[in-house]
Amino acid sequence: MHCQQIIQFGEPLQARDYPTPEPTGTQVLLKVSACGVCHSDLHIWEGFFDLGGGQKMDLLQRMSLPFTLGHEVVGEVAALGPEAEGVEIGDKRIVFPWIGCGKCNVCRAGNELLCMAPQTVGTRYNGGYADEVIAPHPKYLIPYDGVPTELACTYACSGLTAYSALKKLSHLSENDHLVIIGAGGVGLSAVHFASSVVKAKIIVADIDDTKRAVARQSGAHETIDNSDPDAALAKLQEITNGGAAGAIDFVGAPATALFGFNGLRKGGHMVTVGLYGDSMPLSIAMLPLMMRTIQGSYVGSLEEMHEMMALVRAGKVAPIPYEVRPLDDANSALTDLHAGKIKGRVVLSPHK
């Protein structure tokens, strides 16, 4: 098995080769066809999440090195553990990565996203920056018939995260406005899914001219340059006649979070998705006085993955732009993503 691994946090990935893993129990071995590169990979590569106020979540307490990134994985079934049923050798599947321990109360109730001991592919155990990967059970393998392989992998995180965040605002009406903040890979996925999930008019805020143009081409009703927060907030108030009913922050920085929250009307609902980090000042009194809601949204459930892929396979969702690079170009993909040079998604292929 050939892979690109974190050897030390913050240092370039290194190519390593290991014996091909043998699946046991219900495990399934897949030959990786494609693996997306995600902003979450940057945080894991750095080794921490910025919690604000000088505090950090140190990932060395949650995972061990060396480690193989990659949670947007598509592959072909190559071997089955003795208890694995439901797939056959040669089947092509997306690996659903957001897996719980399977033993705790929330997992047994079907809420694996709430598990406190997750077993996530590419964040807790070795992922798809490799030419082979292990899935723990066939139930986590999702068909993608009719969808290009390199595009299909992006739905495991970018697509699912956008879809799940939008569902939290599916109550908005056609007279409402929903602000999508950040038109990178995940935010752009949300623009593409929006018409299938919410009725509200979509406004996209991004500091990048090109990304705003792509958002308009993808169906956004309006776009806003939020590089000047005061001017952007004034424009948002004008467009929405007093504030948006909903906002989704796909960046998660102090400036974007404040823009989203302050741009809400009375009774507005903000969903926070991005993991850029730090913190923002918040008037506690304004929450009850303005009856606003702030909700976190992290990826999506297995049930939502099946719902989303039904839309994708039915041709109801436009594809996001993506480019394919060789697996061994993983370092340059991460640095380009960090520098904001990526439009859409980068997908790594062990066969390119």
Side-chain angles (χ1 to χ4, degrees), residues 228-263:
D228 181 341
D230 292 334
L233 196 57
K235 184 175 181 181
L236 178 60
Q237 293 284 336
E238 178 186 349
I239 293 171
T240 60
N241 193 29
I248 307 177
D249 181 8
F250 286 108
V251 180
T256 57
L258 278 172
F259 173 69
F261 184 73
N262 291 334

Side-chain angles (χ1 to χ4, degrees), residues 15-143:
R16 294 285 178 92
D17 292 295
Y18 298 96
T20 294
E22 294 186 13
T24 61
T26 61
Q27 292 180 340
V28 179
L29 175 70
L30 298 99
K31 290 191 175 298
V32 175
S33 305
C35 182
V37 178
C38 179
H39 267 98
S40 297
D41 294 339
L42 288 177
H43 298 293
I44 300 170
W45 182 36
E46 291 169 343
F48 65 91
F49 287 93
D50 185 349
L51 303 180
Q55 299 184 64
K56 295 181 178 180
M57 179 189 292
D58 185 353
L59 295 183
L60 196 55
Q61 300 174 7
R62 296 166 177 258
M63 55 192 289
S64 58
L65 301 181
F67 185 78
T68 308
L69 290 166
H71 53 269
E72 292 187 337
V73 189
V74 162
E76 182 176 323
V77 175
L80 302 171
E83 300 170 31
E85 298 179 351
V87 292
E88 298 180 356
I89 304 298
D91 285 350
K92 297 178 179 181
R93 296 288 189 268
I94 304 171
V95 180
F96 175 81
W98 313 109
I99 299 166
C101 70
K103 301 174 183 177
C104 66
N105 288 338
V106 293
C107 282
R108 287 198 296 267
N111 298 317
E112 293 187 64
L113 288 181
L114 302 180
C115 180
M116 295 301 292
Q119 302 298 309
T120 312
V121 177
T123 71
R124 291 301 181 95
Y125 72 87
N126 288 321
Y129 284 21
D131 57 10
E132 294 171 314
V133 73
I134 288 282
H137 194 284
K139 71 179 180 180
Y140 300 116
L141 301 180
I142 313 295

Side-chain angles (χ1 to χ4, degrees), residues 2-6 13-15 67-69 129 327-328 330-331:
H2 180 71
C3 53
Q4 287 282 336
Q5 289 193 308
I6 301 172
L13 304 182
Q14 292 185 22
F67 185 78
T68 308
L69 290 166
Y129 284 21
L327 171 62
D328 286 335
N331 274 306

